[in-house]
Amino acid sequence: MRKITIRILTKLPTRYVTTGFILIIGLFIYGIIGSYFIMDLNLIDSIYYSIITMATVGYGDYTPHTGIQKIFATTLALSGVALLAYVFNIMLTSFQEKMSAYSKGARKMKKISDLDDYYIICGFGRVGQVVYDELMKRNQNIIIIDKDEEVFNNIEEKDSVVIIQRDAIEDNLIAKLAGEKCNSVIVSTGDDVNNLFIVLTIRESNSDAWIITRASKIENINRLKKAGANKVVCPEIIGGQDMFFESTKPHLLRITVNHTPHELYDEFKIINKYGCSLENIDYHIPGVETPLTRDIGVTKLTDGKRYQNYLETHDDQKEALHNLYKATSNIHSHLILGPDKKTFEKLIDDLKEIEDIIGINLTNEEIAKITGKKDLD
């Protein structure tokens, strides 16, 4: 408690306190000069008279007799009371505020210690708010750290949400919180330098922490990875990819099929035959709307052949792929990028000869209904 009190006193608003002490010193000098010339006292007595008058002690040693002396004594006494009250009021108010802040901080830390697990969001800007919304949809415990009070206007603390208004790079608080109970730290400030410092601070103390950080500039991605980030997300890249896929929508085909792993290469030969590329594969677990997605981005036939040879020489990977197909009842969707609609029509006709086509451009919801019924059958 003694250490906390000392820390509080060292953080008093020095600007106001300093101003108060300067005014007191100025009043003290005024009292000495006035006592010397108006009260006709010597220097030592002037100092003594100024102190007891400003402190309103007034032992009666020296009594003002003339009008000017009474006015001087009154102004000195009233000014002394007012200034002393001002300084002590500032100190007392600040002390109470700091004690309240420390008490509030202690309650927050107690609340955090009671959480079984949690996610930390550093930086509550537009990106941080999106992450927060996604975590809230999944009923996760969240700790939000941001130095800007205004960003918290639209949210409130709940049993599962702890708000800490503090700069994450000021001390090692973030490192303490990113311990065993922390599922992940999402560093989402808009400043890559701050993000880098936060990542370094966490990684120094927590080698096992899972850190996801934002990179505002593409050239900082490698720096953040070297600092210890497990994943680096760059809005520029994601935005560019989204724009690419949006621009290619007229030339994208999602085809949902049913076949075993043995038809993989034959299927890709047909895709490559028509100058198309396989962008990704969605594996549909029966009755589950969200698929398991693999990014492929394959355009060359040699890549498909290389993968087939890899499976033939790696029995463990081949078995894993067969287990995946078995878990999904061999139902999956291909996202194919092609030149035009007529090409897609020819591609579909060829694919029908080697595999069962369930549907074209079906939504995940529609596929889940189909696989759910199939699973029940």
Side-chain angles (χ1 to χ4, degrees):
M1 182 64 184
R2 183 171 176 269
K3 291 182 179 180
I4 293 176
T5 303
I6 293 173
R7 288 181 63 189
I8 292 173
L9 289 174
T10 59
K11 294 184 178 182
L12 290 174
T14 55
R15 181 164 63 92
Y16 297 109
V17 175
T18 301
T19 301
F21 278 115
I22 290 174
L23 291 174
I24 290 175
I25 292 172
L27 183 63
F28 185 51
I29 295 173
Y30 162 75
I32 294 173
I33 295 174
S35 299
Y36 187 83
F37 289 102
I38 298 174
M39 297 295 296
D40 296 325
L41 303 176
N42 59 42
L43 181 60
I44 299 300
D45 289 340
S46 294
I47 295 173
Y48 169 72
Y49 182 76
S50 297
I51 292 174
I52 64 172
T53 304
M54 288 172 61
T56 67
V57 176
Y59 293 117
D61 307 51
Y62 306 101
T63 304
H65 298 288
T66 66
I68 187 90
Q69 290 179 342
K70 292 178 180 179
I71 292 174
F72 164 72
T74 302
T75 57
L76 184 61
L78 292 177
S79 299
V81 171
L83 282 175
L84 290 173
Y86 166 78
V87 172
F88 283 111
N89 180 62
I90 290 293
M91 296 178 66
L92 181 60
T93 301
S94 178
F95 184 83
Q96 290 173 337
E97 289 177 353
K98 296 295 182 181
M99 284 296 292
S100 176
Y102 274 97
S103 177
K104 189 175 181 179
R107 289 197 298 269
K108 287 181 184 290
M109 296 306 295
K110 176 63 169 61
K111 185 177 179 180
I112 292 172
S113 67
D114 291 338
L115 296 176
D116 294 329
D117 53 63
Y118 50 78
Y119 290 82
I120 299 175
I121 301 176
C122 287
F124 201 63
R126 288 175 294 179
V127 175
Q129 290 180 33
V130 172
V131 176
Y132 169 79
D133 291 338
E134 293 299 321
L135 289 172
M136 287 299 293
K137 290 177 184 177
R138 293 160 178 79
N139 298 316
Q140 299 296 323
N141 298 321
I142 309 168
I143 299 173
I144 305 172
I145 303 177
D146 197 296
K147 62 182 179 181
D148 188 357
E149 184 179 5
E150 292 183 2
V151 302
F152 300 122
N153 290 338
N154 297 326
I155 64 170
E156 60 179 347
E157 283 202 7
K158 305 174 184 177
D159 291 339
S160 61
V161 179
V162 179
I163 298 172
I164 300 177
Q165 186 190 342
R166 187 185 299 185
D167 192 339
I169 65 174
E170 280 188 353
D171 50 37
N172 62 347
L173 173 65
I174 183 66
K176 293 179 181 177
L177 295 179
E180 294 181 359
K181 296 199 300 179
C182 177
N183 294 330
S184 178
V185 183
I186 300 100
V187 186
S188 56
T189 78
D191 189 322
D192 285 355
V193 175
N194 285 347
N195 292 345
L196 181 67
F197 190 87
I198 294 170
V199 171
L200 285 170
T201 302
I202 298 170
R203 187 57 73 203
E204 283 179 354
S205 305
N206 302 275
S207 58
D208 297 327
W210 186 258
I211 307 172
I212 312 297
T213 183
R214 169 187 177 182
S216 298
K217 296 182 179 179
I218 296 175
E219 57 266 29
N220 291 330
I221 292 177
N222 288 334
R223 295 187 182 97
L224 288 162
K225 286 183 178 179
K226 290 179 181 179
N230 298 97
K231 295 289 183 180
V232 181
V233 178
C234 182
E236 287 186 27
I237 294 177
I238 294 175
Q241 289 174 339
D242 288 344
M243 291 180 71
F244 164 72
F245 281 113
E246 289 299 323
S247 69
T248 58
K249 268 189 175 179
H251 310 295
L252 280 175
L253 172 72
R254 191 190 199 200
I255 180 168
T256 304
V257 299
N258 184 340
H259 69 71
T260 67
H262 299 98
E263 287 82 29
L264 270 173
Y265 184 60
D266 292 334
E267 181 184 52
F268 185 70
K269 282 196 295 184
I270 294 174
I271 294 174
N272 185 262
K273 170 185 173 181
Y274 289 101
C276 300
S277 64
L278 180 60
E279 296 298 323
N280 67 41
I281 301 177
D282 290 334
Y283 298 96
H284 303 283
I285 300 173
V288 178
E289 185 172 329
T290 303
L292 300 173
T293 301
R294 288 177 58 198
D295 291 327
I296 306 297
V298 174
T299 59
K300 298 179 181 178
L301 186 61
T302 52
D303 293 333
K305 185 63 177 178
R306 188 182 299 111
Y307 183 64
Q308 184 187 45
N309 293 336
Y310 175 80
L311 291 177
E312 293 300 327
T313 56
H314 293 78
D315 292 337
D316 56 337
Q317 295 299 316
K318 187 175 182 179
E319 182 181 359
L321 183 63
H322 278 271
N323 289 336
L324 177 59
Y325 270 67
K326 184 178 179 181
T328 58
S329 300
N330 295 328
I331 296 177
H332 52 281
S333 297
H334 300 302
L335 188 66
I336 303 171
L337 180 65
D340 51 51
K341 185 177 180 181
K342 289 184 179 180
T343 301
F344 282 146
E345 291 174 354
K346 295 177 183 179
L347 183 145
I348 292 170
D349 289 338
D350 281 8
L351 288 177
K352 285 180 179 179
E353 296 180 7
I354 66 169
E355 61 192 16
D356 179 19
I357 296 180
I358 296 174
I360 304 296
N361 293 329
L362 298 176
T363 65
N364 288 335
E365 184 179 2
E366 291 171 332
I367 296 172
K369 290 179 180 179
I370 295 172
T371 58
K373 291 179 181 178
K374 195 174 185 68
D375 186 51
L376 291 174
D377 294 340

